Amino acid sequence: MFATYMPIYFHEVLGFTVTETGFYVAVILGFNIPLRLVAATFSDRITVIPERWKIIIFNSISVGLSGLLLAFVGWVPETMKAESFLLILTVMLLVALNCGGFYKCAALHARQHAHVVIAAIQFTKCLALFSAPALVAYFVTTESNRVEWIPVFTTLGVTMFLANLLSVFVFTDKPAEWTDPDKKSYVEVPVDETKC
């Protein structure tokens, strides 16, 4: 959503110049990577909180809280440029904490198969890339009209918040049953190598 539509929203709705838009988008996206590294390190170094609770806390901040804030982005009047910028910056910085949330849950739950599960998460995120353009195409006919952006931000934000609520009951730090190498849940198929 942000990589694609943040420049349009900044320029068309908030009225930033093209130069300002490019600079602000670069600042927002540029802070994301170092913050991810710090958050991942911080998540790994905390030892006083159980792993499952760390996952839930990080995910609630990165998905739940950022979703709530995202839902309010469209409601900020276009005359409040600084407030809109800070709100979007906050949402993006909070999203950077997801490395301690659902990504860590995937790695801990899938153990030696984490690469497959994280690849599936990435594939699902690729599919989710269609949701923002679909919402924008459906709700926004005039890109400079802030009111038309409200349902886009609200829908995405509420969806994120609800997904986080569900995750509280689902996320675990325990390994999945299928990660135990001693439990073979498959049948080995005999191979006649003379026929290969």
Side-chain angles (χ1 to χ4, degrees):
M1 170 65 186
F2 281 114
T4 306
Y5 292 105
M6 189 174 6
I8 294 169
Y9 192 80
F10 278 9
H11 182 66
E12 295 293 331
V13 175
L14 300 179
F16 288 120
T17 65
V18 172
T19 304
E20 291 171 325
T21 297
F23 175 75
Y24 291 139
V25 170
V27 165
I28 289 172
L29 297 177
F31 278 133
N32 204 284
I33 293 172
L35 184 58
R36 284 179 188 273
L37 297 173
V38 170
T41 303
F42 188 63
S43 171
D44 290 341
R45 300 277 187 243
I46 298 173
T47 57
V48 296
I49 301 172
E51 210 58 55
R52 181 175 185 275
W53 284 104
K54 285 193 292 186
I55 291 168
I56 290 171
I57 290 167
F58 272 82
N59 202 69
S60 295
I61 293 169
S62 71
V63 180
L65 181 58
S66 68
L68 285 177
L69 294 176
L70 179 62
F72 289 109
V73 167
W75 297 94
V76 178
E78 56 270 13
T79 55
M80 300 174 74
K81 289 183 181 185
E83 290 83 354
S84 289
F85 170 75
L86 289 174
L87 187 58
I88 292 171
L89 174 65
T90 303
V91 169
M92 287 303 294
L93 293 179
L94 293 176
V95 166
L97 301 179
N98 66 10
C99 57
F102 61 85
Y103 281 115
K104 189 169 192 175
C105 176
L108 292 176
H109 188 61
R111 304 295 169 153
Q112 71 269 28
H113 306 291
H115 61 288
V116 176
V117 173
I118 291 176
I121 290 172
Q122 292 303 107
F123 178 72
T124 305
K125 286 172 64 175
C126 290
L127 294 178
L129 288 175
F130 293 105
S131 63
L135 287 170
V136 171
Y138 185 77
F139 289 113
V140 179
T141 55
T142 307
E143 291 177 342
S144 60
N145 186 350
R146 178 190 57 84
V147 175
E148 293 182 7
W149 288 88
I150 291 173
V152 174
F153 289 118
T154 304
T155 302
L156 292 173
V158 169
T159 303
M160 288 172 65
F161 182 76
L162 293 174
N164 179 68
L165 282 179
L166 176 65
S167 74
V168 171
F169 302 103
V170 176
F171 282 4
T172 182
D173 61 332
K174 304 290 183 247
E177 185 178 320
W178 40 266
T179 62
D180 185 356
D182 296 331
K183 289 185 177 179
K184 292 188 177 183
S185 58
Y186 59 90
V187 177
E188 291 190 27
V189 178
V191 176
D192 184 1
E193 292 186 19
T194 60
K195 294 183 180 179
C196 291

